[in-house]
């Protein structure tokens, strides 16, 4: 059984239970039906904006195509969800590559969302694809964060640049950039501290790190990936908005999709922000990070 399908089980079950309930009482596509549909989608964490957008296009589609049966309505829902999600971008999102030197990827996100684990998993993937990978322990704030990244480095077999706890993360980043350039690493993955409680400090720290990267790598970080915990539902969306204000996020990673019924939040996030979800986390193991495929996800939801 496919790992993604298995990881999506809880979300799918909660989503399809709600949809089945909706369609069990289906009579015709009238205003009552749309009210119930909107309620169903919102309770499935799809978010207010996505729900309204979907309900609007459905109304038009139902008129135009003369949709009548429950099965037809379901199919139109899937089709329209995919269209709204893709916003015309039908290719899978990729990670950019810096052709002229190390590809530098900055990982940001609140403590506990799964940042360090995600870096470990991604380093493992990159290494298996034949790349040389260096990690930088830029979270010098959280107790244990440096050691935790070192453990992942050992597991995966990639070196980790560290400094003493409580030291300036910018200096670790600087050392790592130097080493990555001198030793021709393909990838440098940088862990950062995630204190959103102290927004000003976080912003200053990320700004400083970004300045240092921009000095060493023309154009700055190749990607800035925001890691979000899917189990937190709408909170993940709030975090995404807050981080977007402080730094130029180029992609999202939704972790812990395996442990939640709230996976519908991916739709909410997509609707409100123009940042693609690039990966999803489906477990705690090395193999549990996957490129996010919106069609697979949406068909899985309603299946
Ligand atoms: P950080 O503080 O953001 O660096 O978070 P960690 O990487 O330490 O992860 C916090 C916890 O979440 C750990 O127990 C991880 O094993 C767990 N975790 C991370 N990603 C996933 C995932 O995709 N699925 C599951 N089930 N657990 C995860």
């Amino acid at each position: 059984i496919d790992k993604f399908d298995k990881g999506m089980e809880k979300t799918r079950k909660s989503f399809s239970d709600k949809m089945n309930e909706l369609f069990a009482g289906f009579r015709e596509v009238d205003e009552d039906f749309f009210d119930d549909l909107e309620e169903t989608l919102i309770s499935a964490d799809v978010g207010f904006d996505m729900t309204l957008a979907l309900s609007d296009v459905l109304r038009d589609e139902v008129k135009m195509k003369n949709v009548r049966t429950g099965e037809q309505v379901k199919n139109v829902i899937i089709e329209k969800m995919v269209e709204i999600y893709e916003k015309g971008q039908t290719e899978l999102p990729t990670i950019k590559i810096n052709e002229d030197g190390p590809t530098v990827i900055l990982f940001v996100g609140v403590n506990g969302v799964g940042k360090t684990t995600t870096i470990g998993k991604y380093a493992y993937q990159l290494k298996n694809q034949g790349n040389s990978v260096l990690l930088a322990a830029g979270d010098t704030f959280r107790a244990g964060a440096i050691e935790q990244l070192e453990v992942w480095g050992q597991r995966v077999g990639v070196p980790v640049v560290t400094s003493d706890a409580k030291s300036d993360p910018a200096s670790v980043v600087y050392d790592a950039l130097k080493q990555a350039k001198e030793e021709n690493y393909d990838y440098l993955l940088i862990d950062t501290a995630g204190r959103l409680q102290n927004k000003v400090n976080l912003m200053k720290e990320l700004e400083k790190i970004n300045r240092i990267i921009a000095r060493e790598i023309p154009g700055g970080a190749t990607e800035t990936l925001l890691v979000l915990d899917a189990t937190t539902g709408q909170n993940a969306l709030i975090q995404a908005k807050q981080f977007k204000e402080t730094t130029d996020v180029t992609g999202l990673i939704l972790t812990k999709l395996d442990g939640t019924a709230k996976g519908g939040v991916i739709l909410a996030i997509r609707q409100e922000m123009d940042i693609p979800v690039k990966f999803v986390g489906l477990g705690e193991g090395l193999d549990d990070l996957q490129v996010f495929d919106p069609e697979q996800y949406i068909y899985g939801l309603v299946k």
Side-chain angles (χ1 to χ4, degrees):
I1 173 158
D2 183 80
K3 199 164 246 170
F4 185 81
D5 273 355
K6 195 162 164 17
M8 279 285 293
E9 249 166 21
K10 281 192 186 163
T11 295
R12 176 167 53 242
K13 186 154 182 343
S14 109
F15 200 94
S16 62
D17 279 358
K18 287 175 179 140
M19 288 303 258
N20 287 338
E21 215 174 287
L22 173 73
F23 281 102
F26 181 83
R27 280 168 292 111
E28 54 177 329
V29 214
D30 53 11
E31 271 316 301
D32 279 350
F33 172 78
F34 279 113
D35 283 351
D36 290 345
L37 175 68
E38 285 169 13
E39 232 179 271
T40 304
L41 293 172
I42 286 170
S43 73
D45 281 284
V46 167
F48 209 67
D49 290 3
M50 180 70 172
T51 296
L52 291 188
L54 190 62
S55 161
D56 278 351
V57 290
L58 266 179
R59 275 171 219 266
D60 293 344
E61 195 76 5
V62 163
K63 268 188 222 132
M64 259 168 43
K65 290 199 180 154
N66 205 12
V67 173
R68 287 195 188 286
T69 68
E71 202 50 37
Q72 286 172 327
V73 179
K74 253 191 206 172
N75 287 335
V76 177
I77 291 176
I78 296 178
E79 191 188 311
K80 290 297 150 190
M81 263 188 184
V82 170
E83 266 179 44
I84 292 176
Y85 188 96
E86 287 181 340
K87 299 182 181 172
Q89 299 163 319
T90 48
E91 313 93 68
L92 288 188
T94 48
I95 296 291
K96 263 190 288 171
I97 289 173
N98 177 15
E99 303 286 354
D100 307 315
T103 293
V104 177
I105 306 180
L106 199 58
F107 288 80
V108 300
V110 178
N111 283 343
V113 291
K115 229 180 320 149
T116 314
T117 308
T118 301
I119 293 173
K121 292 175 187 171
Y122 191 46
Y124 178 72
Q125 270 186 21
L126 289 171
K127 199 183 167 214
N128 279 350
Q129 291 159 4
N131 299 291
S132 57
V133 183
L134 184 65
L135 307 182
D139 184 357
T140 56
F141 189 77
R142 177 166 73 86
I146 299 171
E147 292 75 15
Q148 200 189 336
L149 196 67
E150 282 180 315
V151 169
W152 277 105
Q154 273 162 19
R155 264 173 97 175
V156 177
V158 301
V160 184
V161 180
T162 62
S163 67
D164 297 335
K166 307 289 172 201
S167 66
D168 187 351
S171 77
V172 185
V173 171
Y174 177 76
D175 290 347
L177 283 162
K178 252 183 81 181
Q179 187 176 341
K181 279 181 15 180
E182 278 168 15
E183 297 174 18
N184 289 317
Y185 276 93
D186 298 317
Y187 285 86
L188 171 62
L189 311 184
I190 304 174
D191 195 7
T192 62
R195 304 165 273 162
L196 204 56
Q197 312 85 292
N198 196 334
K199 219 165 124 183
V200 177
N201 279 352
L202 178 77
M203 194 156 46
K204 279 189 188 149
E205 191 168 305
L206 289 176
E207 264 171 19
K208 194 168 169 189
I209 289 174
N210 274 319
R211 262 203 313 278
I212 284 165
I213 298 174
R215 244 178 11 220
E216 300 298 318
I217 308 283
T222 323
E223 294 267 1
T224 301
L225 301 179
L226 171 62
V227 183
L228 299 166
D229 178 345
T231 65
T232 63
Q234 299 299 309
N235 256 332
L237 177 61
I238 294 167
Q239 282 170 22
K241 286 181 180 166
Q242 288 175 326
F243 267 93
K244 203 183 161 196
E245 285 167 21
T246 63
T247 185
D248 187 15
V249 177
T250 58
L252 305 175
I253 299 175
L254 263 290
T255 62
K256 310 185 199 180
L257 209 58
D258 54 303
T260 184
K262 295 181 175 168
V265 73
I266 290 184
L267 295 171
I269 291 172
R270 174 61 178 175
Q271 182 61 20
E272 293 208 30
M273 331 204 34
D274 218 4
I275 306 174
V277 175
K278 298 202 172 179
F279 291 102
V280 285
L282 299 163
E284 297 180 281
L286 279 174
D287 270 327
D288 296 330
L289 185 73
Q290 268 192 19
V291 171
F292 178 65
D293 179 345
E295 282 194 28
Q296 184 187 20
Y297 164 76
I298 291 167
Y299 279 91
L301 269 185
V302 191
K303 194 161 67 180

